[in-house]
Structure formats: C-alpha cells, structure tokens
Amino acid sequence: MSQDLKVHMRYNKLRVLPNSKELVNNYNKRTPPDMIPEHNDPHRIDWTEIPNIPSKAPDFITGNAALRIPDNSKPKYRLFWPIRYGVLNEKDYASKNLLYQDLATIIEDALKTQLSLKRKVERAQHNCVFVIPDLYDRIYVTQVLEMLIKDFGFGRVCFIQESLAATFGAGYSQGCVVDMGAQKTSICCVDDGMCVEESRVNLKVGGWDVTDAFMRMMLFDHFPYADIDLRRRYDFLLGEELKQKFCTMNEADISVQLFDFHLRAPGQDTRKYQFKTYDEPLLAPMGYFRPTILDHSERLKGRRRLVDRSYDLYDGLPNDAISSAQLTVIQYASNVPVLTSALPAPAIEVPPATIVSSTPNRQGPLSLLNRLQENEATPRSSEAGSPAPEGAATPQIRAASPGAVANQETANAQAHAAAGALQQSIQQDRTLPVMPLDQAIMTSVITAGRGEDRKIREFAGGIMVVGGGGKIPGFKQMLEERLQALHPAYQRDVMVGSPPRELDPQVLAWKGASVFGKLSLTNDSWIGQTEYDMLGSRILAYKCMWAW
C-alpha cells in the first residue's frame, strides 16, 4: 500500500521524500514526554467518581461515564457491550437473559437521565420510534418490541430501517445510503421512500478498525507512547482522538509532519508527547478499501451461542433478513459459491420425524405414509376366499398408490430443501462479510437497478455517506474517484455527497426517525398495547412498512 501511494503521488506530481520513514522513526525513538502537573492542565478530564465505600458504589454505570471510570477503582468495573458489529454480543455473556437485561438497562437509564421519563406511567403517554438495521435478526426485533411495550410501557411503538431513516433526515426520496458506523458499514438503496430489499449490504468494518490500524502502524514506527493498549478505557479514548485529529485521505497532506498529544490517565500527571507521521494517517483509512489489512479474528466468536436464528413457523426454514447483494458479499469473502436452498447438504441429516408440516398440530405426511406401509406389509387374504394352490409363492404386497409415492417425493424434497437452507444459513454465520467498500457500493447499486441502466445511474448519482466513520477529511473525494475507476461506464454519473444543510451525519438517522414519527402516513405503522396483547410479535407482519 505504501508503494502504491508513492506511485500515485508521483503520478499526481506530488513531492515524495525517499527517506521519510527513516526521519519518522529516528525522531519518535528519541523524543521523551513532557510532564504537566494536573493542576496546570487546562483540559484535564473529570473522571467518574466512585465512592470510597464499595457498598455504596452503583451497581452499574452507562454511557460516556462508563468510559471515564478509573482503572484502579474500588470496586472494579468491567465494560459490557450488549451490541457489537451490529448484532447482539453473545461472546461476553453467560446467558441471553443477562444480555437482554443489559440492553434494557442502557435504554432505561437513557430514558431517565436524558428524557426525564422515570416512571412507567409517564412513558405510556409517549410513543417510540426504534431504528433497526437494514439486515436485522428477527429475534432481536421481537425482543425489543416486547421490551418497549411490556417493560418500558410506551403507548405505541413503530420500527424503521436505518437507511430509510437517513433519507428522511436528509429529505431525500431516492439514493444509495452508506452508513459508516464504529463497527459496521451498511449500504442500502432507497427508492420512493422504500428500501430496495435485495440491495442491502452489511460489512463488518467500521471506524474502530481504522483506529486499531492507525495505532498499529504508529507502533511500527516507534510511537513514543509504546505502552498504549486499546483495551484500556483511557487509551481507547486517546486512540479515537488521534484518529479524528490526524487521519486524512488528502494526498496533498502526506508529508513528514510533527504532531503532539496529551496523555491523561487517572491518578497520573498529564504527559505531553510529540511524534512525527508520514503516510500512516492515509494508509489506516485505506482499510475500508483493503479490508485484508484489518484484524478480523474476533468478529464471529460466540455467534449463535446464546440466541438462535429465527425459523419459519410452518416450514421450519431460517427466515432472517438476507439479500442478493449480501449473498454476493459472502460469496466474495468465502471464495466459494453460495449454497441455494435446493442443494442437498450431506453434512446435516434431517430425520423425517423432525420435519415441520404446514399445520403444527397435524402429523406429518411421512408418519401417515409409514403407517400405511406398515399396514400394507401384512399379507392380505385372497379375494376369492379359497386356499392358495400348492407350491404357490409368498403372497405379494400391493404396491403403494401413486398418491403415496408423490407424498414421499414431496417430503424428501422438503427435507433436502430444509437441509440446504439450514446449511446456507450456517455458512452465512461462519463467513465474515467483508469486501472493499467501493465494490460493495457498486454491488448494491447494480442489484437495486435490476438491470435497468437508468435506475443504476440514478442510484450511482445519489450516494450519501452518513455516520461518524465517513467524517475523515477527503474520504468522499477518494471514494468517488475509486467508484469512477471501478466502473468507467458510469464515470460521469457517480457522485458521492454528504447530508444537506450541514446536518451532522452521525445523528442523521435518529433525526430522520423523529421526522418519520411526526408524519401522518405512519399511523398504520404504530403498534399499540392492545394490538400486541392480541397478536404478540405476529403483529409485525401487518405493521412493518417492508416485507417482514
């Protein structure tokens, strides 16, 4: 990557020093920090205060205050993240009840501290719009619905997908939304106020990966603060600060530059470090386009350990949200063809007794067929009523009727289809969906176009980058250049923009959700207490604006 950057900079007639790396390494090796007493630090941090008596310490702390807990606090606190990489974090929990409890605790504490809704009676007078991922897990959505209705007591609840919420916040009715978060990047095309379902893509790459890559590159260049560990709370906040301040994708800014930062740790004096960088601020964000340089070792650990996938009530097949574009990404990541539901899966055997029929209380066709065959296996008496002649052969068993044979073939086909669908779902859970961002965007756009050149050009001309991961200077220009080079046929049509009216892209989806809640056309999307009591989570099939 560094060599490719030098070639590209020379092509653009930018100056490249031959000994830049040596200058950076030599300076970072011999630069000690300056000590600043805490009372002389004008930007000192107010750490979260923990009572000296452990019995009086709070049972939990949420939000930004949890990241400001000193490491040497008594009692010790451990950080838990109920949601990681856009899905429920099953790796760090012993049971799903604890996982759901932490998720509910965070939401309830935010309601009390941020919105002053401390009692359940007060929440009954309010409605809730909940933003969910484009590619969601059904069990997660149904659990959240039960939590909002039963535990928190909201009067009405409705759901909206994140890409659609972003278009409501920006005021667009059509475009391709690229939502770049801390741990995932979601891509979806929106047409006439609806998400194009087959264009949804979810990549497990985000801003935290850029932070990790930037710190690794700086440590390779003898970063003066060599003891940095992103697992520590204050080091993690420091890494995020360095990324936001110094990372850029403008090639004109790439040169040997001198920077400084202040290390503030609880119970220690502030240390001021000076260090030099060369191409590291640009190479770290390039991980979006070359995800192989990022560390993906822990992404799938614990997946489906506590919370199983969702299955259809009638045919027993997995029915979590999936799209053609996401299957293309999975195929790219695994380098093997994606299984279809019609292919048999020898590794997974489905016994006939476990096949779910269309009516749960009715016995399956295989059981009835087995009883018929058992009855047919008994020798039948002669129709004439006379004894069989001497030397006659054993009485023959009557062949099964054509209807029974057809039922057997149908049951076998259903078993193979179920096994193939289950095998495909297992493969999806075991494959980390990563792909260069520019290729993933064009995959989504082309899939949404459905072969219509006009539609493809419209989506390519309305790419909107939202989320905190896309706030790196020069990122949108770099993305636009790579998209134009990837598909020269749409070079004149590709346009990457940001939200209008200088809206903050980090909170655009939540602003769109608030706009969505105020629209009169969303009256049919609200789920009330009475409706939920009658139908439970089945009400989602009637109330969601998309195909649930």
Side-chain angles (χ1 to χ4, degrees), residues 70-123:
D71 291 346
N72 57 354
S73 64
K74 294 182 181 180
K76 294 284 187 179
Y77 284 86
R78 179 185 173 187
L79 283 179
F80 283 92
W81 307 81
I83 297 177
R84 291 183 71 90
Y85 309 112
V87 295
L88 293 173
N89 179 22
E90 305 172 56
K91 182 184 70 172
D92 298 335
Y93 288 88
S95 68
K96 62 180 180 181
N97 291 333
L98 295 176
L99 174 60
Y100 294 149
Q101 182 180 355
D102 279 5
L103 180 61
T105 299
I106 293 175
I107 298 176
E108 184 175 12
D109 190 66
L111 293 174
K112 292 179 179 179
T113 57
Q114 305 295 329
L115 301 179
S116 300
L117 297 177
K118 299 182 179 180
R119 295 186 301 171
K120 194 173 182 179
V121 179
E122 299 175 352
R123 299 173 196 152

Side-chain angles (χ1 to χ4, degrees), residues 19-34 218-226 255-261 272-278 280:
N19 61 338
S20 301
K21 284 290 185 180
E22 289 77 8
L23 293 175
V24 171
N25 291 338
N26 294 333
Y27 183 86
N28 291 342
K29 284 180 182 179
R30 56 181 175 82
T31 305
D34 297 332
M218 292 307 305
L219 288 173
F220 184 77
D221 291 341
H222 300 90
F223 190 57
Y225 178 36
S255 62
V256 178
Q257 301 184 62
L258 177 64
F259 298 113
D260 62 73
F261 68 93
K272 179 181 179 181
Y273 287 91
Q274 290 186 331
F275 68 103
K276 285 187 176 182
T277 64
Y278 177 53
E280 299 83 8

Side-chain angles (χ1 to χ4, degrees), residues 29-282:
K29 284 180 182 179
R30 56 181 175 82
T31 305
D34 297 332
M35 307 301 295
I36 302 176
E38 186 177 2
H39 61 274
N40 289 336
D41 185 5
H43 301 288
R44 61 180 179 271
I45 296 176
D46 294 331
W47 302 99
T48 302
E49 296 183 2
I50 305 298
N52 296 328
I53 303 176
S55 60
K56 295 184 178 180
D59 295 332
F60 60 86
I61 300 175
T62 64
N64 292 328
L67 297 175
R68 297 296 186 186
I69 301 175
D71 291 346
N72 57 354
S73 64
K74 294 182 181 180
K76 294 284 187 179
Y77 284 86
R78 179 185 173 187
L79 283 179
F80 283 92
W81 307 81
I83 297 177
R84 291 183 71 90
Y85 309 112
V87 295
L88 293 173
N89 179 22
E90 305 172 56
K91 182 184 70 172
D92 298 335
Y93 288 88
S95 68
K96 62 180 180 181
N97 291 333
L98 295 176
L99 174 60
Y100 294 149
Q101 182 180 355
D102 279 5
L103 180 61
T105 299
I106 293 175
I107 298 176
E108 184 175 12
D109 190 66
L111 293 174
K112 292 179 179 179
T113 57
Q114 305 295 329
L115 301 179
S116 300
L117 297 177
K118 299 182 179 180
R119 295 186 301 171
K120 194 173 182 179
V121 179
E122 299 175 352
R123 299 173 196 152
Q125 303 175 3
H126 293 77
N127 301 331
C128 176
V129 181
F130 198 90
V131 181
I132 62 174
D134 299 324
L135 288 174
Y136 51 86
D137 289 341
R138 281 172 169 254
I139 293 181
Y140 165 70
V141 179
T142 55
Q143 183 66 31
V144 168
L145 176 60
E146 180 182 358
M147 189 185 303
L148 296 176
I149 293 289
K150 294 298 184 182
D151 299 340
F152 299 144
F154 282 107
R156 294 186 302 173
V157 176
C158 74
F159 293 94
I160 183 174
Q161 294 168 294
E162 55 186 352
S163 295
L164 183 60
T167 58
F168 272 98
Y172 295 158
S173 61
Q174 186 182 51
C176 179
V177 179
V178 183
D179 191 346
M180 305 178 65
Q183 298 176 336
K184 71 175 182 65
T185 298
S186 61
I187 307 167
C188 181
C189 293
V190 178
D191 189 17
D192 292 335
M194 293 291 292
C195 291
V196 182
E197 294 184 359
E198 297 301 326
S199 69
R200 296 173 294 179
V201 173
N202 189 301
L203 305 177
K204 304 304 181 185
V205 178
W208 286 13
D209 297 295
V210 177
T211 303
D212 182 72
F214 183 52
M215 289 295 97
R216 291 176 183 268
M217 292 179 182
M218 292 307 305
L219 288 173
F220 184 77
D221 291 341
H222 300 90
F223 190 57
Y225 178 36
D227 296 332
I228 187 171
D229 186 358
L230 295 182
R231 292 174 296 181
R232 285 197 294 255
R233 302 181 186 101
Y234 59 87
D235 281 348
F236 169 75
L237 296 175
L238 174 63
E240 285 289 302
E241 179 185 354
L242 295 179
K243 178 195 69 175
Q244 296 172 8
K245 284 185 177 180
F246 306 131
C247 281
T248 180
M249 301 201 77
N250 294 322
E251 293 184 357
D253 298 335
I254 301 304
S255 62
V256 178
Q257 301 184 62
L258 177 64
F259 298 113
D260 62 73
F261 68 93
H262 294 78
L263 173 62
R264 298 177 176 90
Q268 302 178 20
D269 290 336
T270 302
R271 284 172 281 177
K272 179 181 179 181
Y273 287 91
Q274 290 186 331
F275 68 103
K276 285 187 176 182
T277 64
Y278 177 53
D279 56 0
E280 299 83 8
L282 188 141

Side-chain angles (χ1 to χ4, degrees), residues 275-317:
F275 68 103
K276 285 187 176 182
T277 64
Y278 177 53
D279 56 0
E280 299 83 8
L282 188 141
L283 294 181
M286 286 296 292
Y288 286 117
F289 306 107
R290 294 194 179 182
T292 53
I293 70 172
L294 305 176
D295 183 15
H296 305 298
S297 58
E298 299 291 330
R299 303 298 169 86
L300 297 177
K301 189 174 181 180
R303 180 70 169 149
R304 302 299 184 191
R305 186 174 64 88
L306 300 177
V307 182
D308 196 8
R309 59 182 61 85
S310 175
Y311 296 94
D312 189 86
L313 179 63
Y314 298 106
D315 55 20
L317 301 180

